[in-house]
Amino acid sequence: QVQLVESGGGLVQPGGSLRLSCAASGSIFTIYTMRWYRQAPGKQRELVASIGASGTTYYADSVKGRFTISRDNAKSTVHLQMNSLKPEDTAVYYCYCYLQQLRATSVDDYWGQGTQVTVSS
């Protein structure tokens, strides 16, 4: 029905950059909120960045000034540009969408499968 597919993870040195992408597909009517979460080993999943349908953004304090979230509504995609990466950014990054499917009356949560980001020298 609805799938979220992430791409762009990998291994990068401290100070480097990566760009994550997430494409939503299926019977989608409207995507409201799009977010990136991350989960490091032994830690709880945390919200990294969020973008609303109108483009309003939110960033966790730990990534402000380094990460930028953006969306392409025509392509149902969300991106996370990550600059000045630090070892503590190492985690599995998950895409999240709050959306309404075609012919549906409810709005629901959808998650991607996750993509590994490792920051190490």
Side-chain angles (χ1 to χ4, degrees):
Q1 301 220 358
V2 174
Q3 280 192 317
L4 304 184
V5 179
E6 297 123 334
S7 60
L11 172 65
V12 64
Q13 292 187 341
S17 298
L18 281 176
R19 180 177 170 86
L20 304 183
S21 296
C22 172
S25 63
S27 56
I28 298 169
F29 176 62
T30 300
I31 301 177
Y32 296 97
T33 304
M34 305 182 86
R35 294 174 175 164
W36 287 96
Y37 286 80
R38 68 185 180 188
Q39 187 167 19
K43 295 189 176 181
Q44 289 189 330
R45 189 172 297 190
E46 63 173 351
L47 175 61
V48 176
S50 179
I51 185 166
S54 62
T56 302
T57 57
Y58 163 85
Y59 296 94
D61 287 342
S62 58
V63 307
K64 278 181 183 176
R66 300 187 298 122
F67 290 11
T68 302
I69 190 170
S70 61
R71 63 189 286 171
D72 183 336
N73 291 327
K75 297 181 179 179
S76 299
T77 58
V78 61
H79 306 283
L80 186 68
Q81 178 66 42
M82 304 186 295
N83 299 328
S84 302
L85 282 161
K86 305 175 181 179
E88 51 263 43
D89 294 318
T90 296
V92 178
Y93 283 70
Y94 296 91
C95 173
Y96 162 94
C97 288
Y98 186 61
L99 63 84
Q100 183 176 0
Q101 290 194 63
L102 291 169
R103 296 179 294 279
T105 56
S106 62
V107 186
D108 297 301
D109 305 318
Y110 293 86
W111 292 87
Q113 80 285 356
T115 185
Q116 177 70 47
V117 171
T118 302
V119 184
S120 175
S121 55

